[in-house]
Amino acid sequence: MNPSTTRELPLSAAQLGFWYASLRSGGQRNETVAEYLDIRGRVDRELIGAALRRVVNEADAVRARIVECDGEPVQLIPDEVEPEIEFLDLSTADAPESAAEEWMRRARNEEMDVTGPVLSSFALIKLADDRYFWYQRVHHIALDGYGGAIFTARLGEVYTSLVNGEQPAQSEWEPLDTLVAEDAAYRGSDEFTADREFWLDRFHHRDEPVRMAAGAHKGPSWDFLREAATLSPETAAELNAAARRMKTSWSALAIALVVVYVHRVTGAENVTIGLTATGRKSAAARRSPGTAATIMPVRCEIRPETSLAEAVRLISREVRQGLRHQRFRHEDLLRELGRVGGGPLYGPLVNIASFGQTLSFADHEVTSHNLLNGPVEDLFVSIYDMGAERGLTLHVNANPAAYSEAEVALHRDRLVELLTQIATADPDLPVRDLELRGEAEQQAPPPGHDGAFKERRRSTIPELFAAAVAATPEASALTCGAETVSYRELDARSNRLANHLLAGGAGGAESVVALAFPRSVELVVAILGVLKSGAAYLPLDTAHPEERVYDVLDQARPTLVLRPEDLAESDRFPDTAPDVRVAPENTAYVIYTSGSTGRPKGVMIPHQNLVRLLDATEDWYGFGPGDVWTLFHSPAFDFSVWEIFGALLTGGRLVVVPFEVSRSPGDFLTLLERERVTVLNQTPSAFYRLMEADRERGGADLALRSVVFGGEALEPGVLEGWYERHADDAPVLVNMYGITEITVHASYAAFDRASAAGARGSVIGTAVPDLGLQVLDAALRPVPVGVAGELYVSGPGLARCYQGRPGLTAERFVACPFGAPGERMYRSGDLARWRPDGGLEYLGRTDDQVQLRGFRVELGEVEAVLVRHPAVVHAVVVVREDRLG
Ligand code: AMP
Ligand code: MG
């Protein structure tokens, strides 16, 4: 090319944004816009070639090539180029349309480097004599969506003239210089300063935007899932009419619906979506095929009781105000907020565009279809106006690292439902009452696990233990260091204690005996002894602060507090089973839990609750005499109940883990190896430390069959390191969600390497078969799939009550609207949601997820913040300023 016919221009801010993003990603980001025209008629190859040549030579940006000069990028614009068109004839293929789509899917992902010689590619695809696709892909640094639309419109116009043998009308486009100069002037202007202030004022709070995806933000993906739908011209017309009634535009209404949708799904009262804006405020800029578009964050406060009309009004106002400041670029805002590389300020992104009105292609019917808009961070909802005869097209593009196909389809169906509903909805309707579920969902029963009855024994712990003793009296029941205790011996020692307690008047049903023991053989003897005496045991954690232990004793008023030294006195009592009557409904243990806040409360659990837990989970685990368990947890934490009786009621061996060993992951790992432990129960945080010790050791030699997680949220993705080292001997890793009040466990989710890696969010799975799980809103209505609500548990795992606290019992154990009359359910205080696969995902505590309502009163150093969440009552929290950032 002759250099004298090439001119040089600096890059606009928008172009620089793409340039630096591309450099940062090492060219890994597919920052291109691809689309195709579906042309219902014959296209002349010669003439389309001539038309493209003419239009490319009118559109400076499409001819530009970016080079680095003294470390600065500049664009070189040749006066004339000869664009290439790939021609494909698929008319003889079996299914020309899908063959063409497949080709375009591949083509849109081909590398197109920002430093490369060509920033565009074009293809004409023949599907039949009278049907062609026009494919085009242009780097975002050259054209944005708006630029692409005016480019294809002009291409159609020129082609039409050529087909008609006419001279095409002169282009009205501005040279690229206009856009670049306008941008440079803007960045030195007062308007720029004002815009900057506007956005900093709106986003100084640095809140993380709410997303509907499970788990942590994944970063942008250039591959995406897409679900599409169309809305009929009638629905589009109704939407227009509804918008007019609400004194706004259909596009503002559509944007508002996306915001309302995010609010309804997440329960968040502060929602920020992104909105694509053209970044063009002057008529000259609108005549410029180039890149100027940006993303404008739109932040709104919505509450469940906000009316539809009010929500639309608020959101339209936000959008209108934002658009006045749209030239201030999102990447500049991120930089000012110190968030570069930290993810955008918005959750889902919304794009409203108009396609079709100005397109003419000879006399053929032609529709435009977007193929790619650049990388997808989270969810990207595009609504295209396809013209009066075709209605609207909805595309929901999603980051595959964050959403499953089923989830994307669900979001699409629901957005269609909302867009359809809005046309006839009462504007005064509170947004909480909008129907969220798509058509198919409304036909299906609400999600939930109904706790179908499972055959189970009626029994007590002493009865089942006696059976285990009778089956294998000489087998080892307990190991602690060098000491081993057989079933026969454990039976005898606990019988002596039981007889001792009965002789002293401390035994008998519903009597409570407190135990102040460290983890030891004696602890297990004491637990069994108390149960055999008919009494319930109350474990005290000897590591807890003294006040807490006294508070528990104060509330529980046990008949007796037993200490290790008291056991010696039992030696003179007979080692035969005492004769006491204990019913399955009698209390077996009382565990005091504090929850996250508040005074410890004593949860009273009957024998039968534990018996049925073992029966209900048997098909999953099949625990038996071959199993070796650890007693790792404090007896005051109900994970220990599962450890002790899981082992001793199924003939297994229980290895007592002394306190110091439980605190040293390396020593514990050695114990697991040495004792050939097969069943391990861990909180995720303890297991992550164990994983670290295992990694340092290069993978321990383990005999594990099952690892059961519980007590706190698991991040399944973190387990990958474990699978890496235990590819062959990997035990089944299981997450069980549980609460003391429902007897240890309520749900089950088993992972293998692939499902752990692919899990998004903290999957807690399905219900223990005889329990019911429901996710309910504040009005106790089941929420649809994917919508956050509070988790409730019903069924035969429920505790009898809180010891001596009838008021608190009535508050937490409430009437179950789904079960038989009189049935109760436990209100967990946890947020969860159903996934399309029928499993549950844990989202946190209701009180952790409260949304700051932005209502702040400064009181010197102290601020009052009004906190609300649909699943929580109001609360006023006082926070110090320095705690807020
Ligand atoms: P607690 O009654 O002391 O056992 O505590 C029960 C609480 O622990 C539940 O309400 C949850 O908040 C949390 N929890 C228990 N198991 C899990 C789990 N698998 N995933 C997430 N949180 C859990
Ligand atoms: Mg628990």
Side-chain angles (χ1 to χ4, degrees):
M1 188 163 307
N2 184 345
S4 67
T5 63
T6 294
R7 73 185 195 281
E8 189 183 309
L9 271 183
L11 270 62
S12 69
Q15 290 181 300
L16 281 171
F18 288 113
W19 172 262
Y20 288 119
S22 180
L23 289 195
R24 267 201 308 277
S25 73
Q28 288 306 295
R29 284 170 70 113
N30 188 358
E31 295 278 10
T32 60
V33 182
E35 63 188 302
Y36 72 96
L37 303 179
D38 182 350
I39 304 159
R40 307 285 174 151
R42 203 185 88 81
V43 176
D44 185 293
R45 271 176 80 177
E46 289 293 312
L47 294 184
I48 190 76
L52 181 71
R53 193 178 323 119
R54 181 176 181 119
V55 177
V56 165
N57 288 324
E58 292 167 352
D60 297 340
V62 180
R63 297 194 307 282
R65 124 160 238 203
I66 321 266
V67 297
E68 223 174 79
C69 187
D70 298 331
E72 293 290 319
V74 292
Q75 44 195 340
L76 304 181
I77 302 166
D79 282 350
E80 217 176 303
V81 297
E82 193 62 44
E84 275 177 35
I85 301 180
E86 192 163 346
F87 181 74
L88 267 90
D89 187 348
L90 298 174
S91 59
T92 56
D94 282 345
E97 190 165 343
S98 27
E101 282 166 358
E102 185 50 40
W103 182 88
M104 293 190 293
R105 241 194 312 279
R106 259 201 318 277
R108 73 169 192 210
N109 284 343
E110 270 165 23
E111 196 176 322
M112 187 186 278
D113 187 15
V114 71
T115 58
V118 201
L119 297 175
S120 58
S121 64
F122 306 94
L124 182 66
I125 308 173
K126 179 178 179 182
L127 290 88
D129 283 342
D130 56 357
R131 186 155 181 226
Y132 286 75
F133 282 175
W134 170 255
Y135 164 88
Q136 74 182 38
R137 177 172 175 230
V138 184
H139 200 287
H140 229 310
I141 205 165
L143 288 188
D144 56 16
Y146 177 88
I150 61 174
F151 183 91
T152 43
R154 173 71 180 157
L155 181 68
E157 181 187 43
V158 172
Y159 176 76
T160 306
S161 301
L162 297 180
V163 167
N164 295 339
E166 295 161 3
Q167 182 62 21
Q170 205 56 40
S171 152
E172 289 175 359
W173 284 348
E174 296 286 333
L176 183 57
D177 314 52
T178 304
L179 210 54
V180 170
E182 205 180 72
D183 177 64
Y186 165 70
R187 296 179 73 81
S189 70
D190 292 345
E191 191 184 349
F192 177 82
T193 313
D195 289 351
R196 176 181 171 277
E197 262 165 39
F198 172 85
W199 289 112
L200 284 178
D201 180 52
R202 275 215 158 22
F203 288 93
H204 70 274
H205 54 76
R206 283 176 277 161
D207 289 353
E208 271 307 303
V210 173
R211 298 186 175 85
M212 297 188 290
H217 180 49
K218 303 297 190 302
S221 163
W222 97 17
D223 207 8
F224 56 85
L225 303 168
R226 171 178 288 177
E227 295 289 341
T230 48
L231 286 141
S232 67
E234 294 72 44
T235 307
E238 282 177 353
L239 196 60
N240 250 315
R244 275 195 304 275
R245 282 197 302 279
M246 294 191 207
K247 300 192 173 45
T248 189
S249 61
W250 75 268
S251 52
L253 199 53
I255 295 162
L257 281 180
V258 177
V259 175
V260 166
Y261 180 61
V262 176
H263 156 72
R264 281 288 307 276
V265 167
T266 60
E269 297 189 356
N270 260 316
V271 173
T272 306
I273 58 150
L275 183 65
T276 57
T278 62
R280 290 165 171 83
K281 284 182 77 184
S282 70
R286 281 191 285 274
R287 283 195 307 269
S288 297
T291 210
T294 184
I295 295 167
M296 193 177 89
V298 179
R299 182 170 193 257
C300 303
E301 266 177 44
I302 305 223
R303 294 192 281 282
E305 66 274 16
T306 306
S307 75
L308 192 55
E310 177 68 1
V312 170
R313 199 182 60 75
L314 286 172
I315 297 160
S316 305
R317 197 188 57 196
E318 274 302 307
V319 171
R320 264 197 322 274
Q321 282 188 351
L323 284 174
R324 278 188 219 121
H325 305 278
Q326 64 173 298
R327 287 210 281 167
F328 193 82
R329 304 196 58 75
H330 191 60
E331 58 268 26
D332 288 333
L333 182 57
L334 290 178
R335 186 168 336 106
E336 297 254 12
L337 295 172
R339 270 184 81 104
V340 175
L345 290 167
Y346 49 86
L349 176 59
V350 180
N351 172 40
I352 308 270
S354 188
F355 264 160
Q357 293 95 326
T358 52
L359 263 186
S360 76
F361 229 92
D363 276 333
H364 308 321
E365 194 187 327
V366 51
T367 49
S368 179
H369 302 267
N370 172 272
L371 286 165
L372 178 77
N373 266 318
V376 177
E377 294 266 2
D378 178 60
L379 206 68
F380 184 17
V381 179
S382 290
I383 306 174
Y384 300 107
D385 177 358
M386 304 299 284
E389 284 103 64
R390 296 201 191 83
L392 304 175
T393 294
L394 173 74
H395 282 174
V396 181
N397 293 358
N399 182 337
Y403 296 89
S404 71
E405 255 171 62
E407 283 167 335
V408 186
L410 202 62
H411 291 315
R412 181 221 29 216
D413 291 348
R414 287 174 175 172
L415 287 168
V416 168
E417 172 66 34
L418 279 177
L419 285 164
T420 312
Q421 209 182 128
I422 195 87
T424 51
D426 173 3
D428 293 330
L429 194 72
V431 295
R432 66 161 170 255
D433 292 332
L434 278 171
E435 176 59 64
L436 208 57
R437 298 166 302 164
E439 222 169 292
E441 246 187 299
Q442 290 177 39
Q443 310 306 322
H449 290 156
D450 63 358
F453 181 79
K454 178 177 185 296
E455 198 66 42
R456 54 184 185 256
R457 296 170 287 182
R458 258 182 58 79
S459 193
T460 62
I461 295 171
E463 250 174 46
L464 297 186
F465 181 66
V469 174
T472 56
E474 300 313 323
S476 304
L478 276 181
T479 307
C480 186
E483 186 184 0
T484 296
V485 182
S486 70
Y487 268 88
R488 192 179 43 70
E489 199 184 337
L490 181 58
D491 191 44
R493 284 170 73 177
S494 51
N495 282 343
R496 284 201 190 95
L497 174 61
N499 286 316
H500 182 182
L501 291 172
L502 283 163
E510 300 309 321
S511 161
V512 175
V513 176
L515 303 176
F517 287 71
R519 269 193 307 282
S520 55
V521 166
E522 287 70 29
L523 168 69
V524 182
V525 170
I527 289 174
L528 283 168
V530 170
L531 293 172
K532 281 163 176 266
S533 81
Y537 76 94
L538 164 66
L540 300 172
D541 191 325
T542 47
H544 276 161
E546 221 168 69
E547 319 83 86
R548 186 184 150 122
V549 176
Y550 282 124
D551 182 35
V552 167
L553 290 175
D554 226 31
Q555 288 192 65
R557 310 217 156 264
T559 321
L560 183 72
V561 181
L562 210 57
R563 291 156 311 162
E565 52 270 38
D566 301 327
L567 289 191
E569 289 172 39
S570 308
D571 286 348
R572 57 201 170 80
F573 287 87
D575 66 2
T576 49
D579 182 23
V580 278
R581 270 188 52 83
V582 191
E585 289 71 31
N586 283 131
T587 310
Y589 61 87
V590 186
I591 284 185
Y592 273 75
T593 67
S594 53
S596 50
T597 51
R599 194 174 177 205
K601 44 200 193 282
V603 183
M604 304 185 75
I605 301 289
H607 287 259
Q608 180 60 29
N609 284 36
L610 189 72
V611 171
R612 51 117 316 249
L613 176 67
L614 294 177
D615 287 355
T617 54
E618 205 205 324
D619 290 347
W620 287 328
Y621 295 108
F623 297 132
D627 282 314
V628 181
W629 299 60
T630 53
L631 174 52
F632 180 90
H633 297 98
S634 159
F637 176 24
D638 72 344
F639 225 178
S640 68
V641 171
W642 168 254
E643 295 180 307
I644 297 170
F645 299 112
L648 298 182
L649 304 186
T650 62
R653 178 164 70 93
L654 183 65
V655 180
V656 178
V657 183
F659 183 79
E660 316 76 61
V661 176
S662 70
R663 288 299 146 107
S664 157
D667 292 347
F668 184 47
L669 194 62
T670 305
L671 179 146
L672 294 176
E673 283 185 306
R674 187 185 67 229
E675 299 288 351
R676 311 310 297 154
V677 171
T678 65
V679 182
L680 175 62
N681 298 283
Q682 291 277 275
T683 59
S685 42
F687 189 75
Y688 301 154
R689 286 192 293 273
L690 189 68
M691 271 174 61
E692 184 55 27
D694 182 67
R695 191 186 60 77
E696 281 167 15
R697 200 168 292 186
D701 169 24
L702 298 170
L704 289 175
R705 200 163 75 75
S706 315
V707 177
V708 179
F709 299 111
E712 63 192 27
L714 174 75
E715 253 185 88
V718 176
L719 303 174
E720 173 56 22
W722 174 269
Y723 283 111
E724 226 168 66
R725 289 185 302 278
H726 296 275
D728 310 320
D729 61 342
V732 182
L733 305 186
V734 180
N735 189 16
M736 294 191 88
Y737 162 85
I739 319 169
T740 311
E741 283 88 339
I742 55 82
T743 315
V744 194
H745 298 309
S747 82
Y748 172 95
F751 296 98
D752 58 21
R753 185 171 185 170
S755 61
R760 293 177 314 278
S762 198
V763 179
I764 57 173
T766 53
V768 166
D770 64 349
L771 297 182
L773 291 181
Q774 301 290 339
V775 182
L776 306 180
D777 67 12
L780 299 189
R781 295 174 302 196
V783 296
V785 170
V787 175
E790 188 168 354
L791 186 56
Y792 288 75
V793 187
S794 59
L798 259 59
R800 286 173 58 167
C801 58
Y802 292 120
Q803 193 178 23
R805 309 275 293 270
L808 191 59
T809 304
E811 219 173 87
R812 307 299 302 189
F813 296 86
V814 298
C816 176
F818 315 102
E823 183 160 1
R824 298 175 308 154
M825 59 183 183
Y826 177 70
R827 174 175 193 183
S828 71
D830 290 317
L831 282 178
R833 62 179 174 185
W834 295 104
R835 301 163 76 111
D837 64 9
L840 273 168
E841 178 193 337
Y842 176 82
L843 297 170
R845 301 280 310 163
T846 49
D847 33 12
D848 293 343
Q849 299 246 329
V850 289
Q851 296 291 321
L852 299 187
R853 197 160 123 184
F855 172 79
R856 298 181 175 187
V857 190
E858 301 222 5
L859 304 164
E861 257 195 280
V862 177
E863 279 195 294
V865 180
L866 187 58
V867 172
R868 289 169 52 99
H869 185 278
V872 198
V873 270
H874 307 204
V876 175
V877 180
V878 177
V879 219
R880 281 175 45 118
E881 168 80 277
D882 56 12
R883 303 283 303 278
L884 278 173

